Amino acid sequence: MDKDTIERLRKRTSQHFLDSIAVKQEAEKVLPESVARGILAMVECLRAGGKVMACGNGGSAADAQHFAAELIGRFEREREELAAIALTTDTSILTAIGNDYSYDEIFSKQVRGLGKKGDILLGISTSGNSKNVVKAIEAAKKMGIKIIAFTGNDGGKIATLLDKDDIHLCAPSTRTARIQETHLVLLHALCDGVDHVLYD
């Protein structure tokens, strides 16, 4: 193997770790209080018999599914199932709405069909501008569904839709990879906090 190539790739890899650490350190300064508010909102919702719906596109869709799996299954302890659903998983619903209406409506129609007042919508968009997530948030707010929004950059369009009762977790970065890595830590912090409040 070419030693120069190996060394160049080693340095690039090291820089990914350093960049990710730096963004997470910045997030730790500004987001824990909002995460705590999100944890308490989820606990209140779940105790009242509500559910958490999650949505996003691409890597954010994977995060939505990951999050729902942690609540329905378990995070780090054995406990009862917690009500959560990822709006990204039913291919028949997604393709029917996308084909018959618009891709922009794939989450909002599910929110209107499945959601109820007192539920929570966890909307994930690294740019803050994903049209289908924006529309889902707009639909949810009309129904009295609280929003926990995961964004990056400056929060984009989503930031303008939120009010004091909503929770905005904006990763302090403009790079999609760094935003997604920070979102995963935030999702795990929510899961851990919910388990702690409910079961400790």
Side-chain angles (χ1 to χ4, degrees), residues 50-82:
K51 63 184 169 298
V52 182
M53 300 174 288
C55 64
N57 299 283
S60 298
D63 285 342
Q65 291 163 217
H66 181 158
F67 180 70
E70 302 282 30
L71 290 188
I72 289 283
R74 66 178 177 197
F75 179 54
E76 291 184 327
R77 69 176 75 192
E78 292 298 334
R79 49 129 169 95
E80 66 184 14
E81 300 78 12
L82 300 174

Side-chain angles (χ1 to χ4, degrees), residues 20-31:
S20 187
I21 290 166
V23 173
K24 292 181 178 110
Q25 287 178 322
E26 186 62 28
E28 186 275 331
K29 296 175 185 177
V30 296
L31 293 179

Side-chain angles (χ1 to χ4, degrees), residues 99-119:
N99 183 65
D100 296 347
Y101 297 91
S102 163
Y103 188 75
D104 295 349
E105 303 289 341
I106 61 172
F107 302 137
S108 57
K109 288 185 76 64
Q110 291 187 76
V111 167
R112 287 191 291 271
L114 299 172
K116 67 180 189 302
K117 185 175 182 179
D119 286 345

